[in-house]
């Protein structure tokens, strides 16, 4: 398998969810709606859990999203798992494909995604592998 790269921009909408009175005010839950453009033309929906702290610039989140669309000419779906930490303003982010979550033309997909935010715009850099179509 050859490692490939997909790049582009995405739009994201995060919607806070409320389930009545929260037992712990520093915890939150949001829904995720994304539209990917570029090498990945897809939509995704997901869920995010957050933990805020009293220290400015420190927080954490985990999320899972289901992506459905076309990755460089191959149609299918896959899931991404996020683990993000902000330590006094210093970010650390890991986003990876959930093993064996690919379907259709994306069956066997593996990889990791990076996100960059520049001037309010969101960009992705997706490094991935797929089984050869002739296999």
């Amino acid at each position: 398998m050859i490692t490939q790269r997909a790049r582009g921009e995405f739009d994201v909408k995060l919607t806070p969810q409320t389930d009545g009175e929260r037992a712990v005010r520093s915890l939150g839950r949001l829904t995720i709606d994304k539209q990917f453009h570029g090498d990945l033309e897809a939509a995704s929906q997901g869920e995010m859990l957050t933990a805020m702290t009293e220290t400015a610039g420190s927080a954490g989140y985990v999320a899972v999203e289901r992506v459905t669309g076309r990755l460089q000419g191959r149609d299918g779906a896959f899931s991404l798992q996020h683990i993000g930490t902000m330590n006094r303003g210093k970010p650390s982010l890991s986003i990876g494909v959930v093993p064996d979550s690919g379907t259709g033309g994306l069956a066997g997909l593996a990889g990791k995604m990076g996100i960059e935010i520049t001037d309010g715009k969101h960009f992705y850099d997706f490094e991935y592998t797929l089984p050869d179509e002739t296999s």
Side-chain angles (χ1 to χ4, degrees):
M1 284 187 259
I2 297 172
T3 299
Q4 300 180 66
R5 274 200 124 102
R7 293 184 176 117
E9 195 172 335
F10 68 92
D11 304 307
V12 62
K13 179 181 177 187
L14 300 174
T15 305
Q17 301 299 296
T18 56
D19 299 327
E21 190 65 28
R22 285 224 173 264
V24 181
R25 295 203 181 283
S26 62
L27 301 179
R29 185 170 63 88
L30 302 96
T31 59
I32 304 168
D33 285 297
K34 285 185 187 170
Q35 283 290 319
F36 291 91
H37 311 285
D39 296 329
L40 174 61
E41 288 289 337
S44 79
Q45 288 77 44
E47 296 275 334
M48 175 187 292
L49 298 174
T50 63
M52 305 302 289
T53 71
E54 292 182 16
T55 302
S58 292
Y61 87 93
V62 294
V64 176
E65 64 182 301
R66 186 73 176 161
V67 181
T68 304
R70 178 172 283 221
L71 174 61
Q72 294 183 330
R74 293 174 79 161
D75 294 328
F78 60 95
S79 294
L80 290 172
Q81 178 178 336
H82 301 232
I83 301 172
T85 304
M86 184 72 81
N87 185 350
R88 298 180 183 224
K90 182 180 178 190
S92 172
L93 180 61
S94 173
I95 304 171
V97 174
V98 174
D100 299 315
S101 65
T103 64
L106 301 178
L109 178 72
K112 59 185 179 179
M113 182 177 284
I115 292 177
E116 183 177 319
I117 303 170
T118 305
D119 297 328
K121 292 186 178 187
H122 292 75
F123 299 91
Y124 66 87
D125 185 354
F126 188 27
E127 190 174 285
Y128 67 94
T129 59
L130 276 165
D132 295 333
E133 290 187 76
T134 57
S135 298

